[in-house]
């Protein structure tokens, strides 16, 4: 049986030593700041979620060759007093870390803790929005389909 810790450590062997150290620093911080979070590997990221579902992901750690990204699914809602977060999407924000000293910044832990607290209320809202979008999409696709037995062609005839 392979434990998740072993899988993550094996996964990090694919990256430079400094990147692995930064990732492990962030992982240790996340374990302490996210009580009860589910940790799992998902598309080359170490994800932290309310459950085992990626839909309920609150934050993630994503190593690359030159930096490590600490991402927040609902980062736009966070109180970023130190102006660390980057991104312009409706919900998500991220921080790119290139050194171990940057990863030890206490402001990161505050963001992670706030993300966890806020995520518990944000995830149900997101799920409801997704459900409404799917229902609207189904409704629109039913309206566009020609009825059975209809001889009407979609192409214009010349």
């Amino acid at each position: 049986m392979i434990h998740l810790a072993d899988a993550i450590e094996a996964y990090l062997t694919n990256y430079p030593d400094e990147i692995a150290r930064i990732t492990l620093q962030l992982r240790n911080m996340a374990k302490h700041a996210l009580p009860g979070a589910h940790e799992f590997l998902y598309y080359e990221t170490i994800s932290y979620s309310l459950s085992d579902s990626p839909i309920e992901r609150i934050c993630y750690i994503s190593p690359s060759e030159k930096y490590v990204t600490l991402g927040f699914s609902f980062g736009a809602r966070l109180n970023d007093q130190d102006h660390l977060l980057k991104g312009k999407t409706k919900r998500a924000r991220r921080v790119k870390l290139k050194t171990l000293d940057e990863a030890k910044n206490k402001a990161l832990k505050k963001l992670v803790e706030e993300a966890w607290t806020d995520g518990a209320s944000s995830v149900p809202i997101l799920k409801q929005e997704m459900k409404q979008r799917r229902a609207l999409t189904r409704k629109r696709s039913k309206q566009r389909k020609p009825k059975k037995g209809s001889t009407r062609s979609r192409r214009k005839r010349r």
Side-chain angles (χ1 to χ4, degrees), residues 36-64:
H38 292 258
E39 178 184 58
F40 55 93
L41 281 172
Y42 182 71
Y43 285 102
E44 298 185 8
T45 66
I46 303 166
S47 297
Y48 298 91
S49 179
L50 296 174
S51 70
D52 288 333
S53 170
I55 292 172
E56 295 184 358
R57 182 169 71 174
I58 302 300
C59 64
Y60 62 90
I61 302 167
S62 180
S64 67

PDB file of all heavy atoms in Angstrom, residues 36-64:
ATOM      1  N   GLY A  36      -8.326  19.282   9.357  1.00  0.00           N
ATOM      2  CA  GLY A  36      -9.381  18.460   8.759  1.00  0.00           C
ATOM      3  C   GLY A  36      -9.420  18.482   7.248  1.00  0.00           C
ATOM      4  O   GLY A  36     -10.310  17.886   6.638  1.00  0.00           O
ATOM      5  N   ALA A  37      -8.476  19.144   6.600  1.00  0.00           N
ATOM      6  CA  ALA A  37      -8.466  19.190   5.135  1.00  0.00           C
ATOM      7  C   ALA A  37      -8.080  17.833   4.562  1.00  0.00           C
ATOM      8  O   ALA A  37      -7.301  17.093   5.145  1.00  0.00           O
ATOM      9  CB  ALA A  37      -7.482  20.249   4.647  1.00  0.00           C
ATOM     10  N   HIS A  38      -8.626  17.527   3.410  1.00  0.00           N
ATOM     11  CA  HIS A  38      -8.249  16.331   2.673  1.00  0.00           C
ATOM     12  C   HIS A  38      -7.117  16.719   1.722  1.00  0.00           C
ATOM     13  O   HIS A  38      -7.278  17.622   0.900  1.00  0.00           O
ATOM     14  CB  HIS A  38      -9.445  15.797   1.876  1.00  0.00           C
ATOM     15  CG  HIS A  38     -10.532  15.269   2.748  1.00  0.00           C
ATOM     16  ND1 HIS A  38     -10.723  13.932   2.957  1.00  0.00           N
ATOM     17  CD2 HIS A  38     -11.471  15.914   3.480  1.00  0.00           C
ATOM     18  CE1 HIS A  38     -11.746  13.765   3.783  1.00  0.00           C
ATOM     19  NE2 HIS A  38     -12.210  14.958   4.110  1.00  0.00           N
ATOM     20  N   GLU A  39      -5.997  16.044   1.832  1.00  0.00           N
ATOM     21  CA  GLU A  39      -4.839  16.319   0.983  1.00  0.00           C
ATOM     22  C   GLU A  39      -4.775  15.239  -0.086  1.00  0.00           C
ATOM     23  O   GLU A  39      -4.882  14.053   0.210  1.00  0.00           O
ATOM     24  CB  GLU A  39      -3.565  16.294   1.829  1.00  0.00           C
ATOM     25  CG  GLU A  39      -2.306  16.528   1.015  1.00  0.00           C
ATOM     26  CD  GLU A  39      -1.049  16.411   1.856  1.00  0.00           C
ATOM     27  OE1 GLU A  39      -0.845  15.336   2.458  1.00  0.00           O
ATOM     28  OE2 GLU A  39      -0.288  17.376   1.903  1.00  0.00           O
ATOM     29  N   PHE A  40      -4.600  15.652  -1.339  1.00  0.00           N
ATOM     30  CA  PHE A  40      -4.480  14.682  -2.428  1.00  0.00           C
ATOM     31  C   PHE A  40      -3.746  15.299  -3.611  1.00  0.00           C
ATOM     32  O   PHE A  40      -3.696  16.525  -3.756  1.00  0.00           O
ATOM     33  CB  PHE A  40      -5.859  14.154  -2.861  1.00  0.00           C
ATOM     34  CG  PHE A  40      -6.852  15.221  -3.239  1.00  0.00           C
ATOM     35  CD1 PHE A  40      -6.993  15.642  -4.548  1.00  0.00           C
ATOM     36  CD2 PHE A  40      -7.664  15.799  -2.279  1.00  0.00           C
ATOM     37  CE1 PHE A  40      -7.919  16.613  -4.897  1.00  0.00           C
ATOM     38  CE2 PHE A  40      -8.595  16.778  -2.605  1.00  0.00           C
ATOM     39  CZ  PHE A  40      -8.716  17.178  -3.926  1.00  0.00           C
ATOM     40  N   LEU A  41      -3.162  14.426  -4.431  1.00  0.00           N
ATOM     41  CA  LEU A  41      -2.519  14.868  -5.664  1.00  0.00           C
ATOM     42  C   LEU A  41      -3.594  14.934  -6.746  1.00  0.00           C
ATOM     43  O   LEU A  41      -4.363  13.992  -6.930  1.00  0.00           O
ATOM     44  CB  LEU A  41      -1.430  13.890  -6.101  1.00  0.00           C
ATOM     45  CG  LEU A  41      -0.111  14.007  -5.379  1.00  0.00           C
ATOM     46  CD1 LEU A  41       0.811  12.847  -5.761  1.00  0.00           C
ATOM     47  CD2 LEU A  41       0.569  15.324  -5.677  1.00  0.00           C
ATOM     48  N   TYR A  42      -3.642  16.056  -7.458  1.00  0.00           N
ATOM     49  CA  TYR A  42      -4.629  16.245  -8.507  1.00  0.00           C
ATOM     50  C   TYR A  42      -4.001  17.083  -9.606  1.00  0.00           C
ATOM     51  O   TYR A  42      -3.646  18.245  -9.387  1.00  0.00           O
ATOM     52  CB  TYR A  42      -5.869  16.945  -7.930  1.00  0.00           C
ATOM     53  CG  TYR A  42      -6.982  17.163  -8.912  1.00  0.00           C
ATOM     54  CD1 TYR A  42      -7.739  16.090  -9.370  1.00  0.00           C
ATOM     55  CD2 TYR A  42      -7.281  18.435  -9.376  1.00  0.00           C
ATOM     56  CE1 TYR A  42      -8.771  16.288 -10.271  1.00  0.00           C
ATOM     57  CE2 TYR A  42      -8.304  18.639 -10.274  1.00  0.00           C
ATOM     58  CZ  TYR A  42      -9.050  17.573 -10.718  1.00  0.00           C
ATOM     59  OH  TYR A  42     -10.068  17.773 -11.620  1.00  0.00           O
ATOM     60  N   TYR A  43      -3.838  16.494 -10.782  1.00  0.00           N
ATOM     61  CA  TYR A  43      -3.204  17.178 -11.911  1.00  0.00           C
ATOM     62  C   TYR A  43      -1.920  17.897 -11.512  1.00  0.00           C
ATOM     63  O   TYR A  43      -1.791  19.111 -11.668  1.00  0.00           O
ATOM     64  CB  TYR A  43      -4.171  18.166 -12.566  1.00  0.00           C
ATOM     65  CG  TYR A  43      -5.225  17.501 -13.402  1.00  0.00           C
ATOM     66  CD1 TYR A  43      -6.518  17.346 -12.923  1.00  0.00           C
ATOM     67  CD2 TYR A  43      -4.927  17.015 -14.662  1.00  0.00           C
ATOM     68  CE1 TYR A  43      -7.497  16.732 -13.682  1.00  0.00           C
ATOM     69  CE2 TYR A  43      -5.896  16.399 -15.437  1.00  0.00           C
ATOM     70  CZ  TYR A  43      -7.177  16.258 -14.941  1.00  0.00           C
ATOM     71  OH  TYR A  43      -8.133  15.650 -15.703  1.00  0.00           O
ATOM     72  N   GLU A  44      -0.997  17.173 -10.968  1.00  0.00           N
ATOM     73  CA  GLU A  44       0.329  17.672 -10.604  1.00  0.00           C
ATOM     74  C   GLU A  44       0.296  18.800  -9.576  1.00  0.00           C
ATOM     75  O   GLU A  44       1.161  19.676  -9.565  1.00  0.00           O
ATOM     76  CB  GLU A  44       1.108  18.085 -11.845  1.00  0.00           C
ATOM     77  CG  GLU A  44       1.337  16.909 -12.791  1.00  0.00           C
ATOM     78  CD  GLU A  44       2.215  17.251 -13.976  1.00  0.00           C
ATOM     79  OE1 GLU A  44       2.789  18.349 -14.005  1.00  0.00           O
ATOM     80  OE2 GLU A  44       2.337  16.397 -14.853  1.00  0.00           O
ATOM     81  N   THR A  45      -0.721  18.802  -8.736  1.00  0.00           N
ATOM     82  CA  THR A  45      -0.777  19.745  -7.632  1.00  0.00           C
ATOM     83  C   THR A  45      -1.107  18.989  -6.348  1.00  0.00           C
ATOM     84  O   THR A  45      -1.790  17.973  -6.376  1.00  0.00           O
ATOM     85  CB  THR A  45      -1.859  20.834  -7.817  1.00  0.00           C
ATOM     86  OG1 THR A  45      -3.150  20.227  -7.775  1.00  0.00           O
ATOM     87  CG2 THR A  45      -1.687  21.588  -9.113  1.00  0.00           C
ATOM     88  N   ILE A  46      -0.610  19.505  -5.248  1.00  0.00           N
ATOM     89  CA  ILE A  46      -0.992  18.981  -3.946  1.00  0.00           C
ATOM     90  C   ILE A  46      -2.180  19.833  -3.532  1.00  0.00           C
ATOM     91  O   ILE A  46      -2.053  21.039  -3.319  1.00  0.00           O
ATOM     92  CB  ILE A  46       0.166  19.106  -2.936  1.00  0.00           C
ATOM     93  CG1 ILE A  46       1.408  18.390  -3.458  1.00  0.00           C
ATOM     94  CG2 ILE A  46      -0.264  18.553  -1.580  1.00  0.00           C
ATOM     95  CD1 ILE A  46       2.675  18.724  -2.705  1.00  0.00           C
ATOM     96  N   SER A  47      -3.343  19.207  -3.452  1.00  0.00           N
ATOM     97  CA  SER A  47      -4.579  19.937  -3.229  1.00  0.00           C
ATOM     98  C   SER A  47      -5.110  19.721  -1.824  1.00  0.00           C
ATOM     99  O   SER A  47      -4.937  18.653  -1.241  1.00  0.00           O
ATOM    100  CB  SER A  47      -5.637  19.481  -4.238  1.00  0.00           C
ATOM    101  OG  SER A  47      -5.227  19.786  -5.544  1.00  0.00           O
ATOM    102  N   TYR A  48      -5.789  20.745  -1.314  1.00  0.00           N
ATOM    103  CA  TYR A  48      -6.416  20.702   0.003  1.00  0.00           C
ATOM    104  C   TYR A  48      -7.880  21.062  -0.184  1.00  0.00           C
ATOM    105  O   TYR A  48      -8.208  22.121  -0.719  1.00  0.00           O
ATOM    106  CB  TYR A  48      -5.721  21.671   0.967  1.00  0.00           C
ATOM    107  CG  TYR A  48      -4.289  21.275   1.163  1.00  0.00           C
ATOM    108  CD1 TYR A  48      -3.291  21.793   0.345  1.00  0.00           C
ATOM    109  CD2 TYR A  48      -3.940  20.334   2.117  1.00  0.00           C
ATOM    110  CE1 TYR A  48      -1.969  21.395   0.492  1.00  0.00           C
ATOM    111  CE2 TYR A  48      -2.619  19.930   2.278  1.00  0.00           C
ATOM    112  CZ  TYR A  48      -1.645  20.464   1.458  1.00  0.00           C
ATOM    113  OH  TYR A  48      -0.343  20.053   1.602  1.00  0.00           O
ATOM    114  N   SER A  49      -8.745  20.153   0.280  1.00  0.00           N
ATOM    115  CA  SER A  49     -10.158  20.266  -0.003  1.00  0.00           C
ATOM    116  C   SER A  49     -10.997  19.942   1.230  1.00  0.00           C
ATOM    117  O   SER A  49     -10.517  19.308   2.168  1.00  0.00           O
ATOM    118  CB  SER A  49     -10.497  19.290  -1.142  1.00  0.00           C
ATOM    119  OG  SER A  49     -11.852  19.311  -1.458  1.00  0.00           O
ATOM    120  N   LEU A  50     -12.266  20.356   1.186  1.00  0.00           N
ATOM    121  CA  LEU A  50     -13.196  20.017   2.255  1.00  0.00           C
ATOM    122  C   LEU A  50     -13.525  18.527   2.249  1.00  0.00           C
ATOM    123  O   LEU A  50     -13.913  17.964   3.257  1.00  0.00           O
ATOM    124  CB  LEU A  50     -14.496  20.814   2.107  1.00  0.00           C
ATOM    125  CG  LEU A  50     -14.378  22.328   2.233  1.00  0.00           C
ATOM    126  CD1 LEU A  50     -15.706  22.993   1.914  1.00  0.00           C
ATOM    127  CD2 LEU A  50     -13.904  22.716   3.621  1.00  0.00           C
ATOM    128  N   SER A  51     -13.384  17.889   1.077  1.00  0.00           N
ATOM    129  CA  SER A  51     -13.627  16.452   0.939  1.00  0.00           C
ATOM    130  C   SER A  51     -12.598  15.914  -0.055  1.00  0.00           C
ATOM    131  O   SER A  51     -11.665  16.617  -0.427  1.00  0.00           O
ATOM    132  CB  SER A  51     -15.044  16.207   0.422  1.00  0.00           C
ATOM    133  OG  SER A  51     -15.150  16.615  -0.925  1.00  0.00           O
ATOM    134  N   ASP A  52     -12.794  14.706  -0.533  1.00  0.00           N
ATOM    135  CA  ASP A  52     -11.880  14.137  -1.524  1.00  0.00           C
ATOM    136  C   ASP A  52     -12.176  14.645  -2.935  1.00  0.00           C
ATOM    137  O   ASP A  52     -11.553  14.209  -3.892  1.00  0.00           O
ATOM    138  CB  ASP A  52     -11.961  12.605  -1.500  1.00  0.00           C
ATOM    139  CG  ASP A  52     -11.316  12.025  -0.254  1.00  0.00           C
ATOM    140  OD1 ASP A  52     -10.402  12.677   0.296  1.00  0.00           O
ATOM    141  OD2 ASP A  52     -11.716  10.930   0.168  1.00  0.00           O
ATOM    142  N   SER A  53     -13.104  15.558  -3.066  1.00  0.00           N
ATOM    143  CA  SER A  53     -13.506  16.077  -4.367  1.00  0.00           C
ATOM    144  C   SER A  53     -12.701  17.320  -4.747  1.00  0.00           C
ATOM    145  O   SER A  53     -12.593  18.259  -3.956  1.00  0.00           O
ATOM    146  CB  SER A  53     -14.992  16.435  -4.341  1.00  0.00           C
ATOM    147  OG  SER A  53     -15.342  17.142  -5.509  1.00  0.00           O
ATOM    148  N   PRO A  54     -12.181  17.351  -5.971  1.00  0.00           N
ATOM    149  CA  PRO A  54     -11.477  18.557  -6.437  1.00  0.00           C
ATOM    150  C   PRO A  54     -12.395  19.773  -6.540  1.00  0.00           C
ATOM    151  O   PRO A  54     -11.938  20.901  -6.494  1.00  0.00           O
ATOM    152  CB  PRO A  54     -10.955  18.173  -7.823  1.00  0.00           C
ATOM    153  CG  PRO A  54     -11.142  16.718  -7.947  1.00  0.00           C
ATOM    154  CD  PRO A  54     -12.118  16.263  -6.928  1.00  0.00           C
ATOM    155  N   ILE A  55     -13.694  19.556  -6.644  1.00  0.00           N
ATOM    156  CA  ILE A  55     -14.643  20.669  -6.719  1.00  0.00           C
ATOM    157  C   ILE A  55     -14.629  21.469  -5.421  1.00  0.00           C
ATOM    158  O   ILE A  55     -14.845  22.673  -5.426  1.00  0.00           O
ATOM    159  CB  ILE A  55     -16.065  20.147  -7.025  1.00  0.00           C
ATOM    160  CG1 ILE A  55     -16.097  19.589  -8.439  1.00  0.00           C
ATOM    161  CG2 ILE A  55     -17.112  21.243  -6.862  1.00  0.00           C
ATOM    162  CD1 ILE A  55     -17.384  18.873  -8.787  1.00  0.00           C
ATOM    163  N   GLU A  56     -14.341  20.796  -4.310  1.00  0.00           N
ATOM    164  CA  GLU A  56     -14.337  21.455  -3.014  1.00  0.00           C
ATOM    165  C   GLU A  56     -12.933  21.905  -2.597  1.00  0.00           C
ATOM    166  O   GLU A  56     -12.685  22.182  -1.423  1.00  0.00           O
ATOM    167  CB  GLU A  56     -14.942  20.525  -1.957  1.00  0.00           C
ATOM    168  CG  GLU A  56     -16.398  20.239  -2.215  1.00  0.00           C
ATOM    169  CD  GLU A  56     -17.052  19.401  -1.132  1.00  0.00           C
ATOM    170  OE1 GLU A  56     -16.370  18.990  -0.174  1.00  0.00           O
ATOM    171  OE2 GLU A  56     -18.260  19.154  -1.251  1.00  0.00           O
ATOM    172  N   ARG A  57     -12.037  21.994  -3.582  1.00  0.00           N
ATOM    173  CA  ARG A  57     -10.660  22.394  -3.287  1.00  0.00           C
ATOM    174  C   ARG A  57     -10.608  23.845  -2.826  1.00  0.00           C
ATOM    175  O   ARG A  57     -11.186  24.735  -3.441  1.00  0.00           O
ATOM    176  CB  ARG A  57      -9.800  22.195  -4.534  1.00  0.00           C
ATOM    177  CG  ARG A  57      -8.345  22.537  -4.320  1.00  0.00           C
ATOM    178  CD  ARG A  57      -7.500  22.090  -5.452  1.00  0.00           C
ATOM    179  NE  ARG A  57      -7.751  22.899  -6.635  1.00  0.00           N
ATOM    180  CZ  ARG A  57      -7.056  22.798  -7.751  1.00  0.00           C
ATOM    181  NH1 ARG A  57      -6.093  21.921  -7.853  1.00  0.00           N
ATOM    182  NH2 ARG A  57      -7.328  23.562  -8.769  1.00  0.00           N
ATOM    183  N   ILE A  58      -9.883  24.065  -1.737  1.00  0.00           N
ATOM    184  CA  ILE A  58      -9.737  25.397  -1.160  1.00  0.00           C
ATOM    185  C   ILE A  58      -8.426  26.033  -1.622  1.00  0.00           C
ATOM    186  O   ILE A  58      -8.382  27.187  -2.002  1.00  0.00           O
ATOM    187  CB  ILE A  58      -9.763  25.336   0.381  1.00  0.00           C
ATOM    188  CG1 ILE A  58     -11.062  24.695   0.871  1.00  0.00           C
ATOM    189  CG2 ILE A  58      -9.546  26.713   0.991  1.00  0.00           C
ATOM    190  CD1 ILE A  58     -12.324  25.408   0.480  1.00  0.00           C
ATOM    191  N   CYS A  59      -7.349  25.255  -1.553  1.00  0.00           N
ATOM    192  CA  CYS A  59      -6.060  25.761  -2.010  1.00  0.00           C
ATOM    193  C   CYS A  59      -5.205  24.610  -2.526  1.00  0.00           C
ATOM    194  O   CYS A  59      -5.542  23.442  -2.362  1.00  0.00           O
ATOM    195  CB  CYS A  59      -5.343  26.556  -0.923  1.00  0.00           C
ATOM    196  SG  CYS A  59      -4.876  25.619   0.517  1.00  0.00           S
ATOM    197  N   TYR A  60      -4.093  24.967  -3.172  1.00  0.00           N
ATOM    198  CA  TYR A  60      -3.216  23.958  -3.749  1.00  0.00           C
ATOM    199  C   TYR A  60      -1.777  24.468  -3.799  1.00  0.00           C
ATOM    200  O   TYR A  60      -1.532  25.672  -3.755  1.00  0.00           O
ATOM    201  CB  TYR A  60      -3.680  23.552  -5.153  1.00  0.00           C
ATOM    202  CG  TYR A  60      -3.655  24.687  -6.153  1.00  0.00           C
ATOM    203  CD1 TYR A  60      -2.517  24.946  -6.912  1.00  0.00           C
ATOM    204  CD2 TYR A  60      -4.767  25.503  -6.330  1.00  0.00           C
ATOM    205  CE1 TYR A  60      -2.487  25.991  -7.815  1.00  0.00           C
ATOM    206  CE2 TYR A  60      -4.744  26.541  -7.236  1.00  0.00           C
ATOM    207  CZ  TYR A  60      -3.607  26.778  -7.978  1.00  0.00           C
ATOM    208  OH  TYR A  60      -3.575  27.826  -8.875  1.00  0.00           O
ATOM    209  N   ILE A  61      -0.869  23.515  -3.897  1.00  0.00           N
ATOM    210  CA  ILE A  61       0.554  23.808  -4.053  1.00  0.00           C
ATOM    211  C   ILE A  61       0.980  23.153  -5.354  1.00  0.00           C
ATOM    212  O   ILE A  61       0.817  21.945  -5.524  1.00  0.00           O
ATOM    213  CB  ILE A  61       1.370  23.245  -2.873  1.00  0.00           C
ATOM    214  CG1 ILE A  61       0.866  23.835  -1.551  1.00  0.00           C
ATOM    215  CG2 ILE A  61       2.857  23.502  -3.070  1.00  0.00           C
ATOM    216  CD1 ILE A  61       1.391  23.113  -0.323  1.00  0.00           C
ATOM    217  N   SER A  62       1.530  23.935  -6.251  1.00  0.00           N
ATOM    218  CA  SER A  62       1.883  23.427  -7.566  1.00  0.00           C
ATOM    219  C   SER A  62       3.346  23.757  -7.901  1.00  0.00           C
ATOM    220  O   SER A  62       3.667  24.891  -8.267  1.00  0.00           O
ATOM    221  CB  SER A  62       0.958  24.049  -8.618  1.00  0.00           C
ATOM    222  OG  SER A  62       1.281  23.571  -9.907  1.00  0.00           O
ATOM    223  N   PRO A  63       4.233  22.770  -7.778  1.00  0.00           N
ATOM    224  CA  PRO A  63       5.639  23.028  -8.118  1.00  0.00           C
ATOM    225  C   PRO A  63       5.850  23.059  -9.636  1.00  0.00           C
ATOM    226  O   PRO A  63       5.127  22.417 -10.392  1.00  0.00           O
ATOM    227  CB  PRO A  63       6.372  21.833  -7.494  1.00  0.00           C
ATOM    228  CG  PRO A  63       5.349  20.769  -7.368  1.00  0.00           C
ATOM    229  CD  PRO A  63       4.020  21.425  -7.257  1.00  0.00           C
ATOM    230  N   SER A  64       6.833  23.846 -10.060  1.00  0.00           N
ATOM    231  CA  SER A  64       7.278  23.850 -11.452  1.00  0.00           C
ATOM    232  C   SER A  64       8.806  23.920 -11.425  1.00  0.00           C
ATOM    233  O   SER A  64       9.405  23.894 -10.363  1.00  0.00           O
ATOM    234  CB  SER A  64       6.674  25.030 -12.213  1.00  0.00           C
ATOM    235  OG  SER A  64       7.174  26.248 -11.721  1.00  0.00           O
TER     236      SER A  64
END
